[in-house]
Amino acid sequence: MSVARWFVMTSASAIAVLIAGPATAQQLCSNPFFVQQSFPTAGPTETTWRLCWDSTPGWGLIIRFAEFRKSPTSPFVRLFWDAYVSEIFVPYHSGWPRYTDLSYGFPLTTVSTADCPGTTGGTVLAGKVCKVVRDRGVAWKKDAQVRRGQELVLWGAVGAANYNYIIEWAFRDDGVVVGRFGATGQNLSWDDMDTVPHMHNAIWRLDIDLNGCCPNSVHQGIHHENLPGLTATDFDTIIPTETGLEWKPLAFHSLNVYSPTLHNSLGHLSSYHLIPLPSGVARHAEPWTQEDFWVTRYHWSERRPENLPSYISPPENISSADIVVWYMGSLHHHPRDEDGQFINVLGGRYWYGEAHVMWTGFMLKPNDLFDGTPLFP
Amino acid sequence: MVVARRGPRFDPPRRRYALITVWPLAAMLLAPRAFAQRVRPLDPLTPRETQLAQRLARADARVRDLIGNRRSVTGSVDFVALKPEPPDSFPVRSAVVEFYVYDGDYGVRALVDFRRQAVTEVDRIDREPIPFATEEIVTAKRLAMQDTSVRQKLGAEAERFRVDWLGVTARDEHDPCFKHRCLQLLFSRRVRGRDLYLTRPAVVVDLTTQTVRREEP
């Protein structure tokens, strides 16, 4: 090899390494923002999640580019471009105050080994996020035959003055994602607000890019009992244009997201179903709280829910598009003595106590993604 | 390694070539930490990027037009990963800079594309909250602690209180904070090993008018 040729080749290699972007999704973010977890944690790998996280003040714990691999020989399938709680809305029954706690700009508060002990599978990331890899209970059981499941959980807590809001993302070994929102803290103590019931509403914005961007379509799953008859019927109806939708418990409503490019080996179209896990449904005066679900076409600037009605007006076509789904979960907090009480010390009247965590959330469940039962021998 | 084995047979110019080309490779191999610090497409904004985004946004003519001579503050600078074209290429590393304009109670949003080092979109924002800036929190606390009636309420140990804050979202047009930028302050101190909130005073700072209001039943 001539010196000149060798020089050109080695220089080109060096330059290529220097300027090349990441070759794969797994390198799209640096440590500790990159998380990859294979299951089971012991023995041969069956399934794997990989993702990036971020914690910008005012946006809680953001998940980016979450991808799932259903078997070691399968490709990674993207689920999220990004996913986050877009607002925490806290209206009091007295009509005032009405806090929009997330968009005030609070950052995640600190997490330590006290929150996230290694003995329970925890690892503290960047001092503000807890990563836990843990047993999630029975995945399936048939008499003596049983399989326990595992999950990767990332959580952080928004420090919003007297309250902490826990934003938790669980990525399960069976491809399920569970998003949860928890509220804990000290009741508002001034003006005797401690006894005033209120609601903590979390509005998730889920930019689902199933099997990559795009197109995706969203269907509404509907269950209908043909009363007074004995039969029932399920529907899976496409949502053609941007809209807001009510979640009806009797109809077991779900939002089902499809990609035309994603099938399992049986040729069935794969989808992810958004299933609420509510304790109740809230409606307030604000127009964007009049629906539980919203489906919009992706626009980068549509990040907060306050203008959701204008995002869908006029409604754009979403039958085969880059879609975003929104879901509002609500916590009804009726104060109780267990939350705390006033004490008089140091010449002042103070609130003493902490309301324990209340939770709401949703599940994103794969449908016809696997070729058969996952985690099954 | 190859060069070292073949080195003795190199004439001086070849050796120079070898050194020139081997050095960068060796540096890359021996200094992985330096290369690991390269910003990846989905990494959070670096402090340098945050400053650059603010500078580009403030200098943009459309932003200047929308803000004019009105008093304003930079509410937030957030990382946004825009979707690329074609879809299978890398995310477009960007920042969203949001300004709050006191006179008129509105926001201005600028999208900064780091690849192009340019502001690519500017919008006026209405009916959407703009995060509070650190400087606003500092101002609110300073105004409150300078207020005689607040200090009287807090007593001789006023400086020992930690001051937390919440935004005020006023929907009633008779509320003094309606279409104003207001913060409610909460005072806490360590009691019995816990950070506890004091019931009184209830203080609202109006950043638009730079005034302090004590709300007592």
Side-chain angles (χ1 to χ4, degrees):
Chain A
M1 184 188 293
S2 72
V3 170
R5 195 170 159 205
W6 185 75
F7 174 79
V8 168
M9 285 178 65
T10 49
S11 300
S13 307
I15 290 165
V17 172
L18 280 169
I19 65 172
T24 63
Q26 66 181 335
Q27 297 171 321
L28 283 176
C29 57
S30 310
N31 288 326
F33 306 104
F34 176 66
V35 175
Q36 177 163 325
Q37 183 64 51
S38 292
F39 299 106
T41 50
T45 291
E46 295 176 40
T47 59
T48 302
W49 279 101
R50 67 183 183 194
L51 53 90
C52 296
W53 64 269
D54 190 6
S55 66
T56 307
W59 298 98
L61 174 57
I62 303 170
I63 302 297
R64 300 189 198 278
F65 231 82
E67 296 181 317
F68 179 66
R69 190 173 65 186
K70 65 181 180 182
S71 78
T73 56
S74 299
F76 276 93
V77 171
R78 194 191 307 163
L79 177 61
F80 293 136
W81 175 265
D82 57 26
Y84 49 84
V85 174
S86 61
E87 187 60 280
I88 299 169
F89 177 49
V90 189
Y92 279 68
H93 286 22
S94 49
W96 190 90
R98 306 178 84 74
Y99 298 116
T100 49
D101 272 336
L102 196 57
S103 56
Y104 293 147
F106 292 113
L108 292 187
T109 189
T110 54
V111 166
S112 72
T113 52
D115 308 82
C116 188
T119 50
T120 58
T123 307
V124 176
L125 303 178
K128 52 192 170 186
V129 169
C130 177
K131 180 187 108 174
V132 190
V133 179
R134 67 187 179 200
D135 181 291
R136 65 174 176 86
V138 172
W140 59 263
K141 176 174 171 60
K142 178 68 177 75
D143 304 328
Q145 297 166 20
V146 65
R147 171 71 185 263
R148 294 185 72 85
Q150 292 180 310
E151 62 188 0
L152 159 71
V153 178
L154 294 176
W155 68 265
V158 176
N162 54 322
Y163 254 81
N164 274 193
Y165 294 112
I166 301 175
I167 296 170
E168 183 184 275
W169 295 95
F171 299 88
R172 290 178 13 183
D173 51 3
D174 58 355
V176 166
V177 176
V178 177
R180 292 208 304 167
F181 165 77
T184 176
Q186 296 186 23
N187 290 2
L188 206 53
S189 57
W190 57 273
D191 252 0
D192 293 325
M193 292 295 292
D194 60 293
T195 57
V196 179
H198 52 276
M199 203 78 78
H200 300 272
N201 302 284
I203 300 88
W204 282 271
R205 179 190 179 279
L206 309 172
D207 184 352
I208 297 177
D209 284 356
L210 189 57
N211 204 30
C213 179
C214 315
N216 285 173
S217 59
V218 187
H219 295 217
Q220 186 178 32
I222 304 167
H223 167 78
H224 180 72
E225 290 285 334
N226 302 313
L227 299 173
L230 302 178
T231 63
T233 313
D234 287 350
F235 302 92
D236 185 68
T237 309
I238 192 164
I239 300 170
T241 54
E242 292 181 311
T243 189
L245 293 163
E246 187 181 351
W247 177 75
K248 292 181 178 165
L250 292 176
F252 286 80
H253 278 160
S254 63
L255 290 185
N256 309 335
V257 181
Y258 290 85
S259 163
T261 60
L262 187 62
H263 300 78
N264 64 13
S265 67
L266 303 174
H268 296 155
L269 207 54
S270 307
S271 58
Y272 258 86
H273 293 190
L274 172 60
I275 301 165
L277 303 171
S279 55
V281 170
R283 292 287 181 270
H284 306 289
E286 287 71 7
W288 53 278
T289 66
Q290 300 310 306
E291 307 285 1
D292 306 292
F293 294 123
W294 300 79
V295 189
T296 59
R297 195 177 181 111
Y298 168 82
H299 293 287
W300 72 266
S301 58
E302 295 180 352
R303 302 190 299 162
R304 298 278 188 208
E306 281 83 353
N307 278 329
L308 266 166
S310 71
Y311 298 164
I312 64 164
S313 180
E316 291 185 72
N317 186 309
I318 53 164
S319 59
S320 181
D322 186 0
I323 56 91
V324 176
V325 296
W326 309 66
Y327 168 66
M328 182 172 81
S330 304
L331 295 170
H332 182 234
H333 183 183
H334 192 96
R336 55 181 186 152
D337 289 344
E338 287 82 352
D339 292 347
Q341 61 276 313
F342 289 110
I343 58 171
N344 292 304
V345 287
L346 300 172
R349 190 164 181 248
Y350 293 83
W351 182 257
Y352 187 79
E354 298 278 350
H356 285 203
V357 188
M358 296 174 72
W359 292 101
T360 187
F362 66 88
M363 171 189 283
L364 267 168
K365 185 178 179 182
N367 193 77
D368 297 344
L369 176 69
F370 289 87
D371 307 324
T373 306
L375 317 179
F376 194 75
Chain B
M1 302 295 274
V2 173
V3 173
R5 280 203 305 275
R6 298 183 61 184
R9 294 205 299 273
F10 277 17
D11 56 23
R14 284 187 171 196
R15 194 168 293 162
R16 273 204 301 277
Y17 283 135
L19 284 172
I20 289 166
T21 52
V22 165
W23 252 119
L25 287 171
M28 284 164 56
L29 291 170
L30 296 173
R33 189 176 298 175
F35 285 91
Q37 287 172 355
R38 182 164 55 95
V39 177
R40 294 185 183 276
L42 295 182
D43 281 349
L45 291 180
T46 65
R48 194 163 160 242
E49 286 175 321
T50 302
Q51 286 178 359
L52 174 65
Q54 279 196 73
R55 188 161 49 78
L56 289 172
R58 276 276 179 201
D60 186 85
R62 293 161 294 178
V63 171
R64 294 212 310 253
D65 268 359
L66 280 170
I67 296 178
N69 294 324
R70 300 173 193 90
R71 187 162 66 97
S72 67
V73 65
T74 307
S76 63
V77 183
D78 301 332
F79 170 65
V80 171
L82 295 186
K83 296 188 178 179
E85 280 295 334
D88 56 352
S89 50
F90 295 122
V92 180
R93 197 167 168 74
S94 308
V96 179
V97 184
E98 290 186 345
F99 302 95
Y100 176 76
V101 183
Y102 294 93
D103 183 11
D105 183 43
Y106 64 94
V108 175
R109 177 166 50 213
L111 178 66
V112 178
D113 181 338
F114 288 117
R115 192 182 45 185
R116 293 161 61 181
Q117 300 260 306
V119 176
T120 53
E121 278 187 56
V122 174
D123 294 302
R124 177 181 161 126
I125 313 171
D126 291 296
R127 297 177 300 278
E128 193 173 311
I130 307 292
F132 287 91
T134 305
E135 65 196 80
E136 291 181 295
I137 310 306
V138 170
T139 300
K141 290 177 182 178
R142 178 177 50 79
L143 289 171
M145 296 308 272
Q146 286 173 349
D147 185 273
T148 312
S149 65
V150 172
R151 288 195 74 89
Q152 273 178 357
K153 270 281 179 188
L154 292 175
E157 296 186 310
E159 299 300 334
R160 299 190 65 165
F161 285 93
R162 172 180 146 162
V163 188
D164 285 341
W165 60 275
L166 285 165
V168 176
T169 308
R171 285 175 50 88
D172 180 354
E173 62 184 20
H174 301 296
D175 188 321
C177 284
F178 185 69
K179 291 191 178 294
H180 283 208
R181 184 87 154 164
C182 289
L183 285 173
Q184 166 192 341
L185 301 185
L186 295 84
F187 300 89
S188 70
R189 70 186 289 186
R190 190 148 280 235
V191 182
R192 299 181 189 171
R194 300 272 174 241
D195 292 324
L196 305 184
Y197 287 97
L198 190 60
T199 314
R200 302 273 185 273
V203 175
V204 173
V205 178
D206 187 332
L207 290 162
T208 303
T209 58
Q210 302 268 302
T211 53
V212 178
R213 201 170 71 242
R214 251 187 53 216
E215 301 207 329
E216 302 293 342

